[in-house]
Every structure is written in structure tokens, then in C-alpha cells.
Amino acid sequence: MFLLEKRPEASRLWTWGTPVLAVVATMIAGGLLFALMGKDPFLAIRAIFWDPLFGPNASYFRPQLLVKAGPLILIAMGLSFGFRAGIWNIGAEGQYVIGALCGAAVALAAYPAENLLIFPAMILAGALGGFLWGMIPAFLRIRFGTNEILVSLMLVYVAENVLSYMAHGPLKNPQGYGFPGSRNLQQYPSAHNAEVIAGTGLHWGVLAALAAVVVGHVLLNRHIFGFQIRVAGQAPRAARFAGVNPDRLVAICLGGSGALAGLAGIFEVSGPGGQITDAFNVGYGFTAIIVAFLGRLEPLGILLAGLLMALTYIGGETAQLVVGLPAAAIQAFQGMLLFFLLAFDLLTHYRIRRRRIPA
Amino acid sequence: MTLGGIDIVMLIASMMVAATPILLAATGEMVAEKAGVLNLGVEGMMIMGAIGGFGAAVLTGSPVIGFLAAAAAGVVMALLFAVLTLKLLSNQVATGLALTLFGLGLSALLGQGLQGIKPPPTARLPLGPLADLPVLGPIVFGHDWVVYLSLALVVAVRWYLARTRGGLVLRAVGENPDAAHALGYPVVRVRVLALAFGGALAGLGGAYLSLVRVPQWTEGMTAGAGWIALAIVVFASWRAERVLLGAYLFGGITVLQLRLQAAGVAIPVQILSMAPYLITILVLVVMSARGGRARLQAPAALGRPFVAVR
């Protein structure tokens, strides 16, 4: 028999060892799954993790890495603070959509004027939209004690319906021959979130994500707010004695993560996405949850995890081409990764001892 | 009987059909939560039930085998959650989310090539002339066997939790696992069984969507039904008869908004489609605003990990 012994402190080795172990285990289990589907597992794994970076078409795929990692990192950074403090915003997908809508609305209202201030105004509107959408569960939790998990999630479905309404109604392109969807912001210079360095995928949203990582790192490690977050998560009662205002924490975590998700949304719609359509959102808000955990809720970890997750997205596309793996496979793959991570986390917090048989 | 162009009898009958997936899932989740485990993976278990049941029914041509397979798929998912949270002591919230994300992905993968197929029809109970009665016929006697099964399960769960020794132990484990452990009750085993029961019911609920209500397979077809089931457990303050009430109210709203869409009411379709989610939020707010009462009804150890002290 084995016995679990709680470590007095989380093991530093295993804190960073488990994500690596989880990735390896996911490769093995994913390979088995692909083999069961009749696909060559080695070819599939290589197509996911190797080909996008070093394969024959890598020059096309490499810029996509930053394009996909940008929103994931930005959203996950916001979520990580709340997750540490036990405040669960799982509605980032909705905040992302609303941010994109608000920012795009500003751009479309200004169309066809050209002005340097339009882009900053869109970014602000996007952040504000996400912030307000995130403040709904925050307000309800603070004022009525309503569970923020369920409310934030329900609001995703509400946001998706708002998106569909906007794409078919108010934001529809008047010159779009009746098709749903807004004007393409890529063709509107003042509103276009163009690549800062052409051909790299590095647009303003990626820079914002990097800034979020740096600011997050400082906040978490060098600022009283980071201390309050840590205490609130590890010892809620002690936090109250330490002068942490729980309501304020809820508002900051939900509002802040909403604002970051909103930013991700507006950077996406004004850049790689281009236009508001029914199918504008592709689940970054949910994948970012995995990114946050895989990155150990640490800013630098999230940076790496975001890049890795972006790689699996692109890898999913190459695997579709190379071995005919269905697009859905990658979603299962990502879910599996989170499972393994949570399972191996036992090693971080507990020591496994062999039970001695009493003589 | 019609009201504003909507047939009331048919509305009630289709309300029961619309409510059944959520009723099944919420009843199961309530039992798991009564044992002190918060499984946020209901959506994932439901969608695996939906695809498992659909696949099995199409392969064998038997909807009954489909529903059995769906329950099995739900149990497997629930056991995965049980191993992670009860044996490996992972965070229940995070693990529940993982279960949902994994279920959505895996089901989409398994469902490749099953789109656009019609499943074998699920039989109505042969109640003969009773089903032809006016008003009562379509509402009480005109349903398939799963609707009656879901109602029977609500009664059974209520009786089991309130009147049996096993139910008492289950509630004790959810209220105070340390005391239950000290009295010699197998806390972890009770929780595993409660989770498995919840998984089976969530699986059945998912299969009801893909085999009866829709009936076909589309990716992500549960569309938040599992999350709504979780909300209904809160609404019901962990009582079986109120789960029934909540699920039927919700089914009513869903059907009503669909009928209004079909009747061409001058409200945008999207506004009508978001109504069920908005009303769920409203209900959650009202329940929590009533203050401590609703919270006192929640099992005391809900969501807390349990580590046996030797």
C-alpha cells in the first residue's frame, strides 16, 4: 500500500516537472488514441509538435504561432489571478466576444474616416466591453452571493447570441450583398491591427500579451496585490485578518480578467480575424483555462504554455493535412493534457510513501 | 386550447420532453453533491452520453442499448473524475472543467461521420386508447419510456435520500466526512458511487438529446444543458422534488421561446434564444439573494477535499 504525506510546501521540482510530465503523457495517450483511429501515431505527433516549426511548410506556420498564442496568453494571464484566489471566471469566451463587438462597433461607427485616434479608441472600447461583461458576475457575487462560475458561463451563451444578432443586424456590412458579417477591418487602414514586423505574426495584441506577462510578474511577486491574491487562495480566513477586502478582490479579478479577454477579442477582430461573424470566436476563452493551469498560474509559465497550446492548434491543422486527423482530435488532445496535469499535480503537493507493515 | 396561436396541451407535452435531459442530469448531480462532491463536468458527461448513446443505437438499431451505452459512457467519465479528485486529490473545480473540455473534444472526435444520420426511434409506451384521451392523453400518457423513467428516478432518489439507511450515510458523508469516517463509513467509496450514479444519469440525459429530442448528432449539441442542470440543483436547494419543478420550468421556457420563434413573433431570434440562459442567471440571483437560507441547504462539505486521517 502507498501512503500520501502532505508536503509542508509545494515541491519546486515537481511544480515545473508536472507540466513536462503531463505533455509527455499526453503525447503517449494521444498517440494511442490516434493509433486506435487507424492513424500512424508517430506521424501524427510529429505533425503536431514538429512540422509547424521545422517541417516543409514551416515558413507559413511559424507566424501563426504568435497569432494564436497572443490571445491565449492575454486571456490566461487575467484568469490566473482569479484562479489563485479561488475566483473562477470561466466565461472569458463571452468577455472576448463582447470586447470584440464593442471595439469593432467603434471602428464601424468611424468608418470611413481615417484618424490615428481610431485604433486606440477601439482598443479602449474592447477592454471596457470585456471589463463590463466580467463585472456582471462580479457584481452579482458581491451583492447577492451568486455563484460566479455558473453566471460567467451562462453569459458566454448570451454573448454568442448577441454576436449573432450583431452580425445579422446592426453591424452587418451594408455593402455585403446581404451576407451576414461586418465590414472587414483589415481593409480599413485606421482600424487595422497590422503586423508590427511584417511576416512574423507579431501584431499589437501579441505585444499586449507580453506586456501583460511582465506586469503580471511584477504584480504577483513584488506588489501587495500579489500577496493578497496568494493569501486569499491559500488561507481565506488569514486573508481577512491581513486586511484583504474579499469583495474588492472579486471585482478586480473578474473585471480585470474580463478586460484582458476583451482586449484579446478586439485585437483578434481588428487583426487576424478581420470581421465580426457568427463564427468569430473559436474557443480561445476556454483553451486559456488550460493554458493558465499548464503555466502553473505563473506569468512566465503561462507564456510558455500559451506558445505550446498555440503549437497544438497549428499542429492540429498540419496533422489534418498530413495524416487526415479530424479537427476535433486536437480539442480532445488539449483536454487530455489538462487531465494529466491535474493528476500528476499530486506529486507537487504530496509525497508518496510506501506503507510499512507493522512488525 | 390555444393561446396566441400556441396550443397549450402540445406546449406542456413538449415541455416535458424538453425538460427530461436536464431533469436526468440534475437529479444525478444532486446525488453527487449530496455526497459532498461538486462535479462541474456534467456537460462533458452529457455530451459523451449523447455520442455514446447515439453511436450504440445506430450500430445496433436498438435505442434501449443506446441508452445503456450512454449511461456507461457517463459512468466512465464520472469515474475518471472520481479517480482524479478522490484518489489523486486534485482540485474539484479545475477537474470538472477538464472533464467538460475533454468530453466536448472527445465526443466531437468520436462523432466523425455520424452527422446527418437518423437514430432508430425510441418507442412510446403502448398505453393504447389512454394516449388518445383529450388533454390528458398527450400530457400524461403520450410519452416515451425515458420520460417516465426520469420521473420514477426523481421519486426513487427522494425516497432513498430521505428514508433509507444508505441515503442517511450518503448525506452524512456530504455534511461531515470526518465524522462519517470516524463512525467507520467508507467516505471515498460512497462518494465514488454517488459520482457514478450522477454520471449514469447525465449520460442518459445526453442520449435523450441525441436520440429523442433533436434527434441526431451534432458537435457540441448539449449547448450548456449540463451547466443549466448544475444551476437547477442550486435552484432546487438540493431537494429532488424541486429539481423536478426547476427542470420543468426550464423546459417550459425553452419550448415557449422555440414556439415564439416559430410563430414569427417580432422579437429577434437571438434574443429569444438567450432567454433560457438569462432566466437561469435570474433564478440563481433570486436564490442567492434570499440569503443564508439557500446556502444553509447546501451540503456542508460540498467541494471540500477529504483526506482520511489514520
Side-chain angles (χ1 to χ4, degrees):
Chain A
M1 268 305 283
F2 292 102
L3 213 64
L4 294 178
E5 186 182 284
K6 192 156 174 82
R7 294 175 193 269
E9 251 178 74
S11 153
R12 285 193 72 83
L13 171 69
W14 283 115
T15 300
W16 296 104
T18 42
V20 178
L21 204 58
V23 170
V24 173
T26 309
M27 283 188 186
I28 296 171
L32 284 175
L33 185 69
F34 300 151
L36 280 178
M37 292 167 59
K39 314 280 180 200
D40 182 341
F42 297 101
L43 219 55
I45 297 293
R46 209 192 73 182
I48 294 173
F49 289 99
W50 183 261
D51 286 356
L53 294 177
F54 309 106
N57 298 318
S59 57
Y60 167 74
F61 288 115
R62 262 185 228 144
Q64 286 294 311
L65 194 65
L66 290 182
V67 168
K68 298 228 162 28
L72 287 175
I73 294 170
L74 204 51
I75 300 172
M77 272 308 301
L79 297 180
S80 66
F81 278 86
F83 288 0
R84 265 182 191 278
I87 299 160
W88 300 95
N89 175 13
I90 59 169
E93 185 79 0
Q95 295 138 19
Y96 171 86
V97 164
I98 296 296
L101 280 174
C102 290
V106 168
L108 295 168
Y111 183 87
E114 298 287 355
N115 192 313
L116 273 177
L117 291 176
I118 291 176
F119 191 62
M122 287 161 57
I123 302 305
L124 273 180
L128 189 67
F131 170 78
L132 291 176
W133 205 250
M135 281 308 279
I136 299 173
F139 170 76
L140 295 179
R141 171 159 164 181
I142 294 168
R143 181 73 182 75
F144 303 110
T146 314
N147 181 318
E148 81 281 8
I149 301 178
L150 293 172
V151 174
S152 63
L153 190 97
M154 289 294 139
L155 285 172
V156 174
Y157 295 100
V158 177
E160 281 177 344
N161 275 302
V162 174
L163 174 70
S164 161
Y165 174 68
M166 289 294 170
H168 288 92
L171 296 187
K172 194 162 98 173
N173 183 358
Q175 287 151 351
Y177 306 103
F179 286 106
S182 72
R183 283 181 199 281
N184 196 325
L185 297 180
Q186 288 172 351
Q187 292 152 9
Y188 177 19
S190 282
H192 184 199
N193 168 24
E195 287 179 329
V196 180
I197 306 169
T200 56
L202 183 84
H203 61 69
W204 288 103
V206 179
L207 290 179
L210 292 176
V213 169
V214 174
V215 173
H217 183 80
V218 173
L219 268 183
L220 195 61
N221 296 302
R222 295 271 180 276
H223 193 271
I224 183 78
F225 177 66
F227 166 76
Q228 293 188 338
I229 289 279
R230 286 173 195 269
V231 178
Q234 286 167 6
R237 260 173 66 80
R240 226 165 299 150
F241 293 122
V244 178
N245 178 347
D247 289 350
R248 217 177 118 240
L249 219 54
V250 169
I252 294 176
C253 286
L254 284 170
S257 55
L260 287 183
L263 275 180
I266 180 57
F267 282 124
E268 185 72 18
V269 74
S270 58
Q275 61 179 150
I276 294 284
T277 61
D278 259 351
F280 161 69
N281 57 321
V282 292
Y284 284 144
F286 292 114
T287 311
I289 297 173
I290 304 178
V291 170
F293 281 114
L294 190 64
R296 318 274 31 185
L297 308 179
E298 288 278 350
L300 296 176
I302 288 172
L303 181 67
L304 294 176
L307 287 169
L308 181 74
M309 229 34 164
L311 183 62
T312 64
Y313 264 115
I314 307 161
E317 286 172 30
T318 46
Q320 238 170 309
L321 295 174
V322 178
V323 281
L325 206 63
I330 216 64
Q331 224 183 325
F333 200 77
Q334 292 172 346
M336 220 190 283
L337 182 58
L338 184 51
F339 262 134
F340 279 118
L341 183 75
L342 291 168
F344 289 135
D345 235 1
L346 180 81
L347 299 171
T348 312
H349 299 292
Y350 292 87
R351 235 178 235 128
I352 299 176
R353 286 273 163 86
R354 199 176 280 278
R355 177 179 279 169
R356 297 215 187 92
I357 297 144
Chain B
M1 254 197 303
T2 59
L3 197 72
I6 293 171
D7 185 337
I8 299 293
V9 173
M10 287 319 291
L11 187 74
I12 295 176
S14 48
M15 170 197 84
M16 295 174 69
V17 171
T20 299
I22 306 166
L23 176 61
L24 283 164
T27 307
E29 174 65 13
M30 191 198 75
V31 171
E33 290 190 14
K34 271 286 187 191
V37 215
L38 179 66
N39 184 355
L40 291 182
V42 184
E43 179 88 1
M45 301 189 296
M46 271 185 101
I47 193 102
M48 284 302 288
I51 187 61
F54 187 85
V58 167
L59 272 180
T60 61
S62 155
V64 177
I65 293 179
F67 276 104
L68 287 176
V75 169
V76 170
M77 292 288 279
L79 289 180
L80 204 56
F81 178 87
V83 169
L84 276 159
T85 56
L86 301 177
K87 301 284 182 195
L88 301 179
L89 305 172
S90 66
N91 180 307
Q92 291 185 12
V93 175
T95 311
L97 287 174
L99 198 65
T100 291
L101 294 173
F102 177 65
L104 287 172
L106 187 61
S107 64
L109 187 58
L110 294 173
Q112 297 288 322
L114 285 178
Q115 270 115 339
I117 301 177
K118 274 238 167 279
T122 301
R124 291 189 173 190
L125 276 199
L127 293 171
L130 282 177
D132 298 329
L133 285 177
V135 185
L136 277 185
I139 296 177
V140 184
F141 301 110
H143 292 288
D144 54 78
W145 59 273
V146 188
V147 172
Y148 301 111
L149 174 70
S150 68
L151 291 169
L153 278 168
V154 172
V155 176
V157 162
R158 187 183 143 72
W159 170 79
Y160 182 79
L161 286 177
R163 295 265 180 268
T164 67
R165 186 177 177 79
L168 186 65
V169 173
L170 188 142
R171 282 186 288 139
V173 163
E175 295 294 338
N176 193 337
D178 294 310
H181 177 68
L183 286 170
Y185 293 117
V187 172
V188 170
R189 195 190 309 158
V190 169
R191 288 188 166 179
V192 170
L193 290 175
L195 277 170
F197 180 76
L201 261 60
L204 285 179
Y208 195 77
L209 275 174
S210 61
L211 290 178
V212 181
R213 172 128 164 76
V214 176
Q216 56 174 331
W217 164 253
T218 46
E219 273 181 31
M221 67 183 302
T222 42
W227 294 101
I228 287 164
L230 279 159
I232 282 175
V233 176
V234 179
F235 164 78
S237 36
W238 292 267
R239 287 166 65 168
E241 68 278 12
R242 292 203 197 158
V243 167
L244 179 66
L245 177 71
Y248 275 21
L249 273 179
F250 188 85
I253 293 159
T254 309
V255 169
L256 189 64
Q257 66 93 359
L258 286 173
R259 288 294 152 99
L260 286 173
Q261 282 186 24
V265 180
I267 306 172
V269 178
Q270 293 91 351
I271 307 269
L272 288 171
S273 309
M274 70 173 80
Y277 305 108
L278 285 177
I279 287 168
T280 306
I281 294 176
L282 191 72
V283 161
L284 283 172
V285 170
V286 169
M287 288 310 292
S288 48
R290 280 168 54 200
R293 275 201 58 204
R295 248 172 283 163
L296 277 181
Q297 313 262 359
L302 184 60
R304 301 229 186 96
F306 168 75
V307 188
V309 186
R310 279 160 294 163

